[in-house]
Amino acid sequence: HAGAAQQIEQADTLAKRMEQMAGQRLKPFGMLAALNNLRPKSNSLTFLRATTNSPVQMELEAQTSNAADLRDYESAIRKSPEIQKVEVQDPRTKDGVTTFKIQVVFKPGFPVEGDGQ
C-alpha cells in the first residue's frame, strides 16, 4: 500500500502546483518596466518587440547604435536580483546598428498579478 500512497501524494502535489500556476497571470508591464530600468544610460538601446512566454519569462527584440550597449545591458540584467537567467541570441550588426534578441527569466518571487503582491 505504500507505493499506492506515494503515487497519490505525488499526484496531489502535482495538482496543487498546477492549480497555483493556473492562478498566476502574466505581468508583462512589470517585466518590461524592470528591463527598461536596466537599459544603458546612453539611451541608444531601443526595444522593438516584447513577448511574454510564461509568468516569469520575457523575450525582447532590440537594437542599438552603440554595440557596447548590448554587453553593458546583458551585464546589468545578469546583476539584477530579480533575474534568474538571461540569454542573448542572434546579435547582428549592419550599417552601424546592432540588433539582437534577449530571453530573460525572472526569479520565481517576481511579483505576478493574482499572487497578492
Side-chain angles (χ1 to χ4, degrees), residues 71-83:
R71 186 176 54 250
D72 294 343
Y73 187 50
E74 179 183 8
S75 177
I77 293 172
R78 288 188 189 283
K79 292 176 185 175
S80 172
E82 299 173 326
I83 305 300

Side-chain angles (χ1 to χ4, degrees), residues 2-23:
Q6 184 179 14
Q7 285 180 336
I8 291 170
E9 273 185 41
Q10 287 176 340
D12 183 56
T13 301
L14 179 61
K16 285 179 183 176
R17 179 68 181 135
M18 289 175 65
E19 184 178 322
Q20 177 188 14
M21 290 177 72

Side-chain angles (χ1 to χ4, degrees), residues 3 14 29-30 34-35 39-40 43 49-50 56 61 63-64 70 76-77 86 104 106 108 111-112:
L14 179 61
F29 293 115
L35 295 172
R39 287 184 355 183
N43 244 0
R49 186 174 140 219
V56 293
E61 290 183 28
Q63 69 181 22
T64 181
L70 171 55
I77 293 172
V86 60
V104 178
F106 289 84
V112 292

Side-chain angles (χ1 to χ4, degrees), residues 40-71:
K41 301 301 178 206
S42 68
N43 244 0
S44 70
L45 193 139
T46 304
F47 296 152
L48 303 174
R49 186 174 140 219
T51 308
T52 52
N53 300 324
S54 78
V56 293
Q57 185 176 359
M58 178 169 267
E59 178 179 288
L60 295 174
E61 290 183 28
Q63 69 181 22
T64 181
S65 58
N66 181 356
D69 280 352
L70 171 55
R71 186 176 54 250

